[in-house]
Amino acid sequence: MGCGALGSVIGAHLARLPDVELYAYDVLAEHMRAIRERGLKISGVADFTVRLNATSEPSEIPPCDFGVFATKSIHTRAAIEQTAHVFGPSAAVCSVQNGLGNEEMIAERVRYVIRGATGLAVHMREPGHAGIEFYGDVWIGPFEPSGTPYSLVEELAVLMNRAGLHFVPLRDARGAQWTKLIFNSAANGVGALTGLHHGAAARFVPTAALYEALLQEGEVVARALDIVLTSDPRELVAEGARAPTKRYASMLVDVLAQHPTEVDFINGAIADHGEKLGVPVPLNRAVWQLLKGLEHSWSNPS
Amino acid sequence: MGCGALGSVIGAHLARLPDVELYAYDVLAEHMRAIRERGLKISGVADFTVRLNATSEPSEIPPCDFGVFATKSIHTRAAIEQTAHVFGPSAAVCSVQNGLGNEEMIAERVRYVIRGATGLAVHMREPGHAGIEFYGDVWIGPFEPSGTPYSLVEELAVLMNRAGLHFVPLRDARGAQWTKLIFNSAANGVGALTGLHHGAAARFVPTAALYEALLQEGEVVARALDIVLTSDPRELVAEGARAPTKRYASMLVDVLAQHPTEVDFINGAIADHGEKLGVPVPLNRAVWQLLKGLEHSWSNPS
């Protein structure tokens, strides 16, 4: 569900498994048509093209055992409304999306939900063609309130790893999700507001200091929620900054295209949690306020 | 010194006084040529054109009794280096610029310095033509470390008011300067990062909340410095938001033209004072960091 860069890369890998019947769904009809007509192409550290079913018509999708949500978080609610009928009472739907709150929305319509966070570095090249810069891990675990059996998490990980991806099943994926979330609060928030690619923002002294302040704010919120991060978000910052290419945060890509960003699900979500817990979150709140203001400016308000 | 919107409006008014010999100085030679050839035009709530001496050549300026600095703060140091020879031991130079730190730079080269802050609403239309939206007050007072006689402050105010401007002489102009500074920290900081005109930013709930948080941060710093504001900066916010036209903060105008902003002298100055005093200033520091990052992005860093 959602066939942008991340959904395309995951879908293309799965489509190479002869025993998997795969449907790609996205609301962008011309994108789906490109995949149907020319196949789905992946290039970068992997290079191949596959054929798969691709549709913008939810009624064309048969019942599925697993779903993988890779839409922008702002489209999760609409996508699950459109596709909930695909998932029967034993099916499980996994979010590999950015930010917080996607699993909750999916769980309103689907019995079993799997929490996920991804370290894949991918980007869209054109309709039907996505790039992959490296195979990062994808961490998945049961979405706690839905009581998803851990065996379903393991089954999905085995499937994905047979397809050549690096899925890591965890009893509790919240630490991995928050590690990525806190990294994103800095890399996406600062990138979107400054126009700097990640490496430049991480090296330039003023923005590096703001990265650090945002990371610290998020870490205090995670601790207050009893969430143990799986690694230091600074390692993700450093790893991304070493990349030989200029990496534009996905929210910066959105800003440049004047598309609504995922800030509600990243900095906004951290700020909401912090304020509920009485933990100071002025910087995540300010990044949220500034990006909401920037998005508002595109409507040319009176 | 500095013949942008503010310098043009002040200079044009002074040029109407028959007993004043006035020299306009700006580094933009084509702008000075336009003034020499066609005069300096003011339109808006006032409408007139005047002839005056205009030059980009400091050696053409004779000794002057008063100087008025209206450059962007980032050009103050260069401008006083170029023109210090104009001001003898009894001359006084008044800054009517945005932000903090201009008087200090001028005082390194000039005996008597006058602190100023302006409520004039002006904008540049084209070389040799500035608009004025309303006659706000201009508050002036002795720059404390230079021991400027108050009589010089009064003499300058009398001159300016004879010219039709609204200058208010004060024994201590720091409160007026900080009132404007704190207003600017919100209006300029938020405007420059969001692209919103002032009225829209002041009305949109998320950015209005950030305005308020920035105002509060600045007020705490002013209190820690024993500076008594002359009015509530929220009145300046409300007054500007009532304007019938869309007012773009000067730092937003700079951002749109990819010119360096005055953020060092506005949010950066408040953050520096706060950090020195141990007063928390995360939001002014973050606005400074983000704008430095945005300016850095224009150099297309590797």
Side-chain angles (χ1 to χ4, degrees), chain A residues 189-190 193-197 199-200 203-204 206-207 209-210 246 248 282-283 286 288-290 292-294 296-297 300-302, chain B residues 189-190 193-197 199-200 203-204 206-207 209-210 246 248 282-283 286 288-290 292-294 296-297 300-302:
Chain A
V190 174
L193 286 165
T194 62
L196 289 171
H197 65 87
R203 281 186 288 272
F204 185 57
T207 43
L210 182 54
K246 294 180 180 178
Y248 291 89
L283 297 176
W288 179 83
Q289 290 162 329
L290 288 168
K292 298 312 275 188
L294 180 59
H296 184 50
S297 76
N300 192 24
S302 64
Chain B
V190 175
L193 285 165
T194 63
L196 288 170
H197 65 86
R203 281 186 288 272
F204 184 57
T207 43
L210 182 54
K246 294 181 180 177
Y248 292 88
L283 297 176
W288 179 82
Q289 289 162 329
L290 289 167
K292 297 312 276 187
L294 181 58
H296 184 50
S297 76
N300 191 26
S302 63

Side-chain angles (χ1 to χ4, degrees), chain B:
Chain B
M1 307 305 166
C3 211
L6 184 60
S8 292
V9 165
I10 292 175
H13 282 77
L14 276 177
R16 299 192 298 184
L17 294 179
D19 55 339
V20 169
E21 187 180 355
L22 182 76
Y23 283 79
Y25 170 76
D26 199 290
V27 290
L28 293 173
E30 74 275 24
H31 193 156
M32 295 297 96
R33 192 164 50 242
I35 295 176
R36 279 197 306 274
E37 290 174 2
R38 303 194 299 271
L40 177 55
K41 180 172 165 61
I42 305 298
S43 63
V45 295
D47 213 317
F48 61 92
T49 301
V50 286
R51 293 276 163 184
L52 49 78
N53 305 300
T55 183
S56 294
E57 186 39 71
S59 65
E60 291 179 0
I61 311 173
C64 290
D65 299 318
F66 285 106
V68 176
F69 261 68
T71 68
K72 294 281 184 191
S73 302
I74 56 171
H75 299 134
T76 300
R77 190 172 292 282
I80 192 63
E81 295 294 329
Q82 292 294 311
T83 63
H85 66 277
V86 167
F87 305 106
S90 63
V93 173
C94 178
S95 166
V96 292
Q97 299 162 281
N98 273 331
L100 294 184
N102 291 294
E103 291 85 357
E104 284 78 358
M105 287 186 276
I106 297 167
E108 291 173 14
R109 302 297 300 266
V110 174
R111 174 75 185 87
Y112 294 132
V113 177
I114 295 174
R115 187 188 283 287
T118 170
L120 279 164
V122 295
H123 56 279
M124 210 59 207
R125 301 211 153 159
E126 59 193 328
H129 182 185
I132 175 166
E133 293 157 66
F134 64 80
Y135 282 94
D137 289 338
V138 183
W139 305 273
I140 58 174
F143 175 59
E144 307 74 22
S146 69
T148 308
Y150 187 60
S151 59
L152 282 175
V153 175
E154 291 182 304
E155 193 183 333
L156 181 63
V158 166
L159 187 69
M160 292 292 192
N161 292 337
R162 275 173 54 215
L165 296 164
H166 298 184
F167 272 56
V168 181
L170 298 166
R171 296 273 174 189
D172 181 354
R174 293 180 309 156
Q177 192 175 38
W178 271 78
T179 303
K180 183 74 189 302
L181 174 73
I182 291 171
F183 162 77
N184 272 330
S185 74
N188 271 284
V190 175
L193 285 165
T194 63
L196 288 170
H197 65 86
H198 171 63
R203 281 186 288 272
F204 184 57
V205 171
T207 43
L210 182 54
Y211 264 49
E212 176 59 28
L214 282 162
L215 297 182
Q216 289 183 17
E217 233 182 61
E219 287 172 329
V220 174
V221 177
R223 260 198 302 279
L225 287 166
D226 283 326
I227 289 170
V228 179
L229 302 186
T230 48
S231 68
D232 186 336
R234 289 159 196 79
E235 290 172 17
L236 298 180
V237 172
E239 180 185 286
R242 278 193 302 267
T245 55
K246 294 181 180 177
R247 286 233 192 100
Y248 292 88
S250 63
M251 290 204 326
L252 173 55
V253 175
D254 290 333
V255 164
L256 295 174
Q258 298 200 356
H259 289 160
T261 71
E262 296 184 306
V263 72
D264 287 347
F265 303 87
I266 300 176
N267 303 90
I270 293 175
D272 288 346
H273 275 290
E275 288 166 4
K276 207 174 293 172
L277 293 161
V279 171
V281 282
L283 297 176
N284 278 285
R285 180 54 73 205
V287 166
W288 179 82
Q289 289 162 329
L290 289 167
L291 275 163
K292 297 312 276 187
L294 181 58
E295 294 175 9
H296 184 50
S297 76
W298 302 332
S299 66
N300 191 26
S302 63

